[in-house]
Amino acid sequence: MLNAIKIDDTPPRLPSGSTYGEDELRAMQRAMVNIFDRWRVSDVDASTVLGGISAKTFRRWKDGEFGRVNRDLADRMSNLLGIHKALRIIFSDPQTGYAWVTTANDALAGRSPLEIMKGGGMEDVVRIRRYLDSVRGGW
């Protein structure tokens, strides 16, 4: 006799302590794909900035296949969206803002923001966000 097996059809668990809903996380993942494309960031570099997800996983995102998001990844995406927003406020020409990410900057010891964010730590992403927030006058 076969036993019935219950299949769990509940949505994926959200990051512990998350204030983001599943739809918001998917929107953030889609936005990351578009932003990294505009910033001309390679899949490998995007994966590093996103905290070390695999380049294969990031390529899946590009194909619309989104997986689980942990708290660190959700927070990184939130900060990257903040960077994108600050660039749109600071630069009237979007292309100038997009190029800024990969351009050496004297205020960053001659390094590009991308070089700093490729350090891989959350603090590297937050450093760029805080710098831009200070340039644009904070909140």
Side-chain angles (χ1 to χ4, degrees):
M1 173 166 242
L2 295 175
N3 291 328
I5 299 173
K6 182 179 181 209
I7 298 175
D8 185 7
D9 59 355
T10 59
R13 289 182 52 199
L14 299 175
S16 176
S18 177
T19 58
Y20 307 108
E22 183 182 354
D23 290 342
E24 291 172 303
L25 291 171
R26 298 299 171 255
M28 290 168 75
Q29 289 172 298
R30 287 189 304 273
M32 288 299 94
V33 168
N34 291 325
I35 288 169
F36 283 130
D37 180 58
R38 285 173 174 80
W39 289 353
R40 300 191 189 281
V41 174
S42 72
D43 293 353
V44 171
D45 288 346
S47 299
T48 301
V49 172
L50 289 169
I53 67 170
S54 73
K56 184 176 180 179
T57 295
F58 186 71
R59 283 191 288 277
R60 284 188 190 132
W61 288 16
K62 292 169 101 174
D63 292 334
E65 299 175 30
F66 304 111
R68 294 184 317 195
V69 174
N70 63 28
R71 176 70 184 261
D72 180 77
L73 181 53
D75 290 345
R76 283 172 188 273
M77 290 190 298
S78 176
N79 278 289
L80 289 161
L81 288 167
I83 290 169
H84 175 71
K85 175 183 173 182
L87 291 171
R88 294 301 303 265
I89 291 169
I90 293 167
F91 297 104
S92 59
D93 172 40
Q95 297 305 320
T96 304
Y98 301 151
W100 181 87
V101 174
T102 56
T103 303
N105 188 315
D106 290 338
L108 303 173
R111 299 172 70 197
S112 74
L114 179 60
E115 287 178 84
I116 291 170
M117 292 188 290
K118 283 180 5 184
M122 175 72 80
E123 68 279 359
D124 300 316
V125 174
V126 171
R127 177 181 173 196
I128 300 303
R129 181 168 185 187
R130 286 186 180 149
Y131 170 74
L132 288 170
D133 285 346
S134 72
V135 168
R136 73 177 181 94
W139 299 89

